[in-house]
Structures are given as C-alpha cells and as structure tokens.
Amino acid sequence: VARLLDTSTVGCLPAVSQALSAGLLVDTGTGRFRFTHGLVRTVLAADTPLQQAVVLHVRAAQALEDLHRDGLAHVSADIARHWAAVAITGERRPAVDWARRAAEDAARALAYEEAARLYASALTHGGAALTAGERAGLLLAQAGVNVAAGRFTEAFGACRQAVELAEDAGRTDLVAAAALTLDAVGDNSWDRTVQGWCVRALDALGENEAPLRARLLARLAETRFYSGDVTGADTPAASALTLAE
C-alpha cells in the first residue's frame, strides 16, 4: 500500500487504523489486512477515477515484481491482472507478457483452466500490439492447455484460428504445431482437418527437419486411420518409423 501511495509504511498506519475501526478492513493476524467483504473493494474501485486507477495498477504491478522477485510464479497472475487494467492506455505489451508468463506458471501447476483464461487475457489485451504470428502462437498455447483440461472443442477452435493466422503470416511452423496439438478422435471433420494441416506442413518442410517430419507423418497416419482410411495410413506410418529409427 505504501508503494502504491508513494509514501512510507508508517505514513499509511493512521488510514489503516481508521479503516479497521470503520469495519472496512480486518487484520488477518499475519501482518496483513484484507477487506471485510468483496463489495468494499468493488465499490472503492468503482469510485476511483480512471487516471488514478491506472497509476495505482502500474505501481501495484511494479511493487509485486520487486517484492516477490524470488517467487514471481506465486504472484504472476496478480501482476498480469494489474497490467491488464493498464492496457486501456495503449501500453499493451506488459499485459501480454505477464499474462503469458502467468499462464505458463499456471500450466506448470496443472491449473489448466486458469492457464487458458490467462492466455485469453493476453489475446484480448494484446490488441494491435500482437502480430499475426504471435497471436497464433498464443492461440496454440491456449489450445494446448485446453486439451490438458479436457476442453477439446475449445482447443479445436483455437487451433483453427491459429492456422488461419499462421497461413496469412507464412508461418507453416505454426501450422505444424497445430497439427501436433490435437490427437485424432474418430470424428470425421476433426480428423480430416488435422490431416490437412499435416499435409500443408509436410509440404513446406525442409529435408533437414527429420524429427518434425517424423512426428507429422505419424500424426497423419493416426488421423487417416481414425477417419477410416486404414490403407492410407500405412505409407506415412512406415515413413515415420523409418525416420525415427
């Protein structure tokens, strides 16, 4: 709080004491305080002028980064939230970078739905600051955590958007990433779509990219098999095995 108000810790104590007496804050007993009810925070936030709120969000983000430098994974989502509130000013890059970092932290903690939400925040607040390739990359990352969370429809939709952006940007590497993000599921439309991505990515691969070619051939064989083209799966499966060996 002192960092937000650009004052000393001691200088904050009278206001904290008044808030405690008024029943707006409660002492948690660990040297920390919290609002007695979420509505208190909501009302205070709503009554804060936009310009002042933006300044406070910037200071809060910077203070959290400074105070938790050795454990940023624990506060990265909070930092991302503050920078997201600042994006309205046009300063979008911190919102994107911190949302991405927080999403990666959440995914490492197996909080896949939270990671998907944070990738969505990066996409939303990035706006024009994101190139087509970067937006596609974020969508693929979001698709990956959605797969891990069992949200397959959302993952498929994100991959389709990513492929459209990647093709416009000439990023066949991202088309390959989309193909490798989604397993075959036995749905004709799904599997044929992934097949198409495999073929387009394979056509663009150089001869020195054997590991990626092997993975794409294996995925192509898998999608053909699950879509009922068992014979058509034989050739890419054999080629993948040869490259892998």
Side-chain angles (χ1 to χ4, degrees), residues 35-52:
F35 290 112
T36 52
H37 196 285
L39 285 175
V40 176
R41 177 168 47 192
T42 300
V43 170
L44 289 173
D47 287 345
T48 303
L50 180 59
Q51 183 175 358
Q52 183 182 358

Side-chain angles (χ1 to χ4, degrees), residues 139 142-143 152-163 182 190 197:
L139 283 164
Q142 185 185 45
F152 301 114
T153 300
E154 291 86 346
F156 184 73
C159 280
R160 292 193 74 159
Q161 291 181 59
V163 168
L182 301 177
W190 174 302
W197 298 343

Side-chain angles (χ1 to χ4, degrees), residues 93-175:
R93 180 50 56 181
V96 173
D97 292 344
W98 275 103
R100 181 193 288 115
R101 178 169 181 169
E104 293 168 353
D105 289 336
R108 279 191 290 270
L110 308 183
Y112 298 121
E113 292 187 7
E114 173 67 359
R117 184 192 68 77
L118 287 160
Y119 281 124
S121 177
L123 288 160
T124 298
H125 293 101
L130 297 175
T131 65
E134 188 174 14
R135 184 172 289 277
L138 286 168
L139 283 164
L140 289 175
Q142 185 185 45
V145 294
N146 273 326
V147 167
R151 299 165 62 176
F152 301 114
T153 300
E154 291 86 346
F156 184 73
C159 280
R160 292 193 74 159
Q161 291 181 59
V163 168
E164 291 175 4
L165 290 166
E167 290 183 328
D168 289 342
R171 294 287 305 275
T172 51
D173 60 313
L174 295 177
V175 177

